[in-house]
Amino acid sequence: MNNQSKIIAALLAGVAVGAVVGLLFSPEKGEENREGLAGWFKDIYDLSKEKTSDLAEKGMNAVNKSRNSAESQVDHAESALGV
C-alpha cells in the first residue's frame, strides 16, 4: 500500500470515527438522528443517481460523436478511392 492510499484510508477512518462520536454526543434524540441521517443519505443517493445519469448521457454523446466522425471519414475515404 503506497503512502497516498494510507493517507486516504486514515482520512476515511477519521471521518467515520468523528461521525460516530458526533452522533453519540449530539443533543438530539436517537430517532431524530436516524431521521436526519436517512434524509441525508437519501439526498446523497438522489444526487449520485442524477450525476450517474448525466455522466452516462455524456458518455453516449461522446460515443455517438465518435461513431459519426468515423463514418464520415470512411465515407470520405470511399469516395476518394472511388469505391
Side-chain angles (χ1 to χ4, degrees):
M1 187 182 247
N2 63 23
N3 285 340
Q4 187 177 11
S5 297
K6 290 179 184 177
I7 291 171
I8 291 172
L11 177 68
L12 292 175
V15 167
V17 169
V20 169
V21 170
L23 287 174
L24 289 175
F25 289 104
S26 74
E28 297 175 347
K29 293 181 180 179
E31 185 176 340
E32 292 171 354
N33 280 335
R34 287 189 296 275
E35 288 174 0
L37 282 174
W40 182 76
F41 279 115
K42 184 181 180 320
D43 291 344
I44 295 296
Y45 175 74
D46 291 342
L47 181 63
S48 66
K49 278 179 43 177
E50 180 182 318
K51 295 293 182 182
T52 302
S53 177
D54 291 346
L55 184 60
E57 184 179 343
K58 287 180 182 179
M60 288 305 298
N61 288 341
V63 166
N64 289 334
K65 184 177 178 181
S66 296
R67 180 182 298 136
N68 291 340
S69 176
E71 289 172 352
S72 174
Q73 290 176 2
V74 168
D75 291 343
H76 181 69
E78 287 176 345
S79 66
L81 295 172
V83 178

